[in-house]
Every structure is written in C-alpha cells, then in structure tokens.
Amino acid sequence: MSRDLSDVTDALTHLFAHGPAVPAMLLAPVAALIATAGVRTRWSQRHGQAPPPDDTGARPPGAEAEAEASALWRMRTTVRDAPGSLAALCAALADRRIDILSLQTHPLAEGTVDEFLLRAPGELAGSELTELVTEAGGAHTWTERADAHDLVDAPTRLLGLATRTALDAAELPLALRQLLGRCTIRSLPASTAGSAGSAGSAGDDVPPQGTLEDTVLRLRAPEGGVISVERPYLPFTPAEFARARALVELDARLGPRLPRGRDELTLSEGRNITVRRADTRDVEAARAMHERCSARTLGMRYHGPVGDADRYLNHLLSPRFGRTLAVQTASGRIVGLGHLLWDGDETEVALLVEDAWQRRGVGAELLGRLVAMAAETGCESVYAVTQASNTGMVAAMRGLGLPLDYQIEEGTLVVTARLTPASPAAVPLPHAERIGTD
C-alpha cells in the first residue's frame, strides 16, 4: 500500500477537523501519539510582561552578544511529587539566567520525570547545569546539547514522524530513533514455528502490548518477531513507551508500502534503466540476478563464497533493516541492488551490480542516491565494507567527493564517508540522460 505525501497529510489533518471521516486504521495509532505527546507543555520568557511606557523598543547594550552566546540544552530530571518541588527547580534555573523554553512531565509511581528544553548562557557547562539541578532537588539528571530542531513542539514532531512512517515502511526504525533519542534498535526475526528444536517465534515471550524494562523496551514487529530498543544511559518513561507502541501499531495497520517514485535513465548506448525502491516483494527477481552474477562478483560483495542467496536477501530487502534501491531494465529484470543498512548508531552502504552492467556508472548512481538518503535522515557518516582489491567500490566512494577514512585488516577494507548537510543528492551517471521521474 502506497500513498502520496499530500494524501497522508490530508488524512492527518482530517483527524482533527473531521474525526469520523478518518479511516479507522489511522485514527487509533495517531490519536495515541497525540495523547501521549501533550502531557504538559509550558513556555517561559525572560521578558514576558509588557514594556514600560518609556521603553523605545531598543535592545540594551550587549543584548545581541548575550543572545549569540547562549546555548540550547535538553535536560531530564526526576523531582519529588510534592507541591513546590518543581517551582523550586524553576526558580533555581531562573537565578542562573536559564530560560525554560518547554517542559513536559512524565508521572511515575514514585516522583515525576520532567523533561526541559533550556536556553542557558553559553559559558555554562553541562556539569554545572547538573550540579545546579541536583542542589535544587532534582535526581538522576541527564543533559544533552540541543539544536533548533528541538524547538518544534512535541505534538507537531510526532505528527511528522507518523506521516513519514505512513509513507514508507523503512521509516519506522528512523522514526523510533528520532522519537527516543540515541538508542540501539534491533529487529529480531521470527523463528520458524514448529521446526525441530525451535521454541517458536521470537515474539512468543513478548505480549501483544509489548514490554518495558527500565532501559529496554520490546514490541511485536508487524511482520512477526520483535523490535527491541535499548537506551542504557536513560530509562524509558511510560509516555515514551506508549508513543513508540503507537508508531509500531500505525506501521502494522498500514501494511507493506514503499514510495512510488522512480527515475528513468538512458545509457549512452541507448538502453533505458529505471531506479526505484525495492523490498521483500522483489526477492525472486533479486535471486535471479544473483544467479547471473559470477562467483567473483558475489565474492566481492559478500566477502566470500555465497552458497544460498536467500540467507542474505530476505534480510537485505527488509525495510526493518534499511532501504534498498533496485536498477531494472526496460523488460523488468533487476541488474543492480544498493542497500542502506541501519547498523545500530552507524549506517552501512552495500552494492551489487550484475557483471554485464558493470563499469557503466550504475554502481556510482546507486551509491550517490544512498548517500543522499543517509544525509536526509541525519546520518553523520556511512561506511562500506569490501575487499582491498575491489577497485570499483573504492572508486565509487572516492567519486562522492566527501572526506573519506580508510581502515584495512587482512584484506578487508572499510571506507567511511563523513556526510554534510550539502552531501550530493546523487552522483551523475556518466554519458546518460535522466528522462523522467514519477
């Protein structure tokens, strides 16, 4: 199932204006996201009152320099659930000229976790902020530098994540990471039920509503198995757990889906090819391409003999583990695959191009598009693992025009490209012409 951005945006807009008209499949999970987001938000400004009559509107000397020297912080701390506890903390922050830009509360069985977005003087260190909060009654305090993206209020941010998830099944791991901050997300596939020695599905020990255990939450994956999220440095709150569960429920209700867009390209010899997204529905065509590849080409890609391509393809083409681009001919035959794989906090790129289609710029085209996807999702770098003798892959990485790091050990080469916001959208296909995008 696939839908355009405008369709999904309209559906989410109608959720508020025309409740009964929204499809039931979207109503419950998105409503849950909104409900858990709007626990409580407060805004505080240093000059919240009207100016005195003689105020000309001019800023006092040094005010601009002071604003430029400020820094944004995200902070989470636990305060006693007693009258005046939060007020004392806010007063302590105000005494140090720290503005509270937003505040959300997460009630727990004992105490309350308060999550702040702060603007503090630039010279204030994180350790000083933690010490200040501790003296004011906060406990288990965690701080992290923030940026302008954190200024978006929680309901708007969650609606954006829901829209992205609705458009593309591969967005779910990224949406969870943006929702929950720095964390490690693992997809544990379902085991073959009933096989000898098998204990059944990986999700058998996870109830339908999921489990929350301090710094680990587990949810049943829509296709079976389990989505496990770990954040050792900061326990999850019930509100975060509810938001994550709502995103997974939305993904499950929408079913398999990919963006419909594709690019048609013409090679110099006149052949047309198409670049599009792929998923597990393309396993058969991908397997046929593997059978046409030489042992050398497969060995370069998988770093050794390939006895059964199925072991790799179901994993590589799953949107749970990343995004896949396919290059296909006018007849529909797949002749190239490019994978962007989520690997914990890192991102891997991998390419396989059929022998007869190598050295035509197809691999560079795929790599450029994968790097652009990684940059769009906020990745700071991507890496490729190959053999030192794979000059084609090395040349493609160098052709990106990005800073590269090389590590080699026993013939295995790891090339890491550091990304920037201005990373190329795609590496041009040599001697080819783009003839359309749908």
Side-chain angles (χ1 to χ4, degrees), residues 73-427:
W73 289 88
R74 290 175 57 212
M75 182 184 76
R76 181 175 292 193
T77 191
T78 302
V79 299
R80 293 184 302 108
D81 190 9
S85 298
L86 181 59
L89 176 57
C90 293
L93 293 173
D95 287 342
R96 292 293 300 271
R97 297 185 297 113
I98 299 173
D99 286 348
I100 300 174
L101 302 181
S102 70
L103 166 64
Q104 292 187 68
T105 62
H106 304 265
L108 303 177
E110 297 181 1
T112 300
V113 173
D114 289 319
E115 187 170 351
F116 296 83
L117 178 62
L118 305 172
R119 178 180 287 117
E123 69 273 9
L124 185 70
S127 57
E128 294 179 278
L129 181 57
T130 300
E131 182 179 355
L132 170 66
V133 171
T134 302
E135 293 177 353
H140 310 294
T141 302
W142 166 85
T143 60
E144 182 181 60
R145 290 296 290 267
D147 59 30
H149 296 89
D150 294 295
L151 294 172
V152 178
D153 65 278
T156 300
R157 187 160 162 263
L158 288 170
L159 277 173
L161 295 178
T163 301
R164 289 176 52 181
T165 302
L167 286 169
D168 187 349
E171 288 289 330
L172 179 61
L174 294 172
L176 290 172
R177 184 179 295 176
Q178 291 196 14
L179 175 68
L180 303 171
R182 292 200 310 269
C183 57
T184 300
I185 300 175
R186 295 186 176 90
S187 293
L188 309 177
S191 303
T192 304
S195 61
S198 173
S201 169
D204 286 349
D205 59 343
V206 177
Q209 68 272 19
T211 62
L212 171 60
E213 301 173 0
D214 199 30
T215 60
V216 179
L217 64 84
R218 295 194 298 167
L219 299 164
R220 284 193 178 182
E223 71 283 355
V226 171
I227 297 175
S228 172
V229 186
E230 299 181 27
R231 191 176 64 187
Y233 67 94
L234 188 65
F236 293 110
T237 66
E240 289 178 314
F241 177 57
R243 296 170 188 173
R245 187 172 60 194
L247 270 179
V248 174
E249 181 183 350
L250 173 65
D251 180 81
R253 293 193 179 197
L254 291 174
R257 62 209 178 278
L258 287 177
R260 289 196 297 262
R262 58 181 63 203
D263 282 350
E264 295 185 11
L265 310 164
T266 300
L267 298 175
S268 57
E269 65 266 29
R271 291 189 182 184
N272 291 340
I273 61 172
T274 299
V275 182
R276 63 171 177 83
R277 288 284 300 278
D279 63 7
T280 51
R281 290 169 290 187
D282 295 291
V283 166
E284 290 298 326
R287 184 188 297 115
M289 186 193 78
H290 278 66
E291 293 173 353
R292 296 191 299 270
C293 290
S294 66
R296 181 180 182 277
T297 291
L298 294 176
M300 287 285 189
R301 166 63 182 88
Y302 296 106
H303 321 298
V306 180
D308 183 5
D310 289 346
R311 290 179 50 208
Y312 304 95
L313 290 177
N314 284 297
H315 171 88
L316 291 172
L317 293 172
S318 171
R320 292 291 165 264
F321 301 100
R323 297 175 180 174
T324 297
L325 290 176
V327 173
Q328 68 181 40
T329 64
S331 64
R333 175 191 294 184
I334 289 181
V335 296
L337 289 172
H339 306 285
L340 188 68
L341 302 171
W342 318 133
D343 181 16
D345 293 333
E346 299 181 319
T347 305
E348 180 182 1
V349 289
L351 303 175
L352 178 65
V353 178
E354 188 177 327
D355 294 61
W357 290 82
Q358 293 176 8
R359 298 179 180 84
R360 302 185 185 188
V362 174
E365 176 75 15
L366 286 172
L367 182 60
R369 292 170 181 268
L370 295 173
V371 168
M373 287 181 175
E376 290 170 357
T377 60
C379 296
E380 296 181 354
S381 64
V382 297
Y383 71 92
V385 181
T386 187
Q387 297 182 19
S389 57
N390 190 349
T391 56
M393 186 64 179
V394 174
M397 292 292 287
R398 293 181 63 184
L400 292 171
L402 298 172
L404 300 179
D405 295 328
Y406 300 87
Q407 292 182 339
I408 187 168
E409 184 176 351
E410 297 181 357
T412 298
L413 176 65
V414 180
V415 185
T416 302
R418 296 193 300 275
L419 307 185
T420 65
S423 294
V427 175

Side-chain angles (χ1 to χ4, degrees), residues 7-19:
D7 296 336
V8 178
T9 303
D10 289 343
L12 295 177
T13 303
H14 290 167
L15 176 63
F16 299 97
H18 309 288

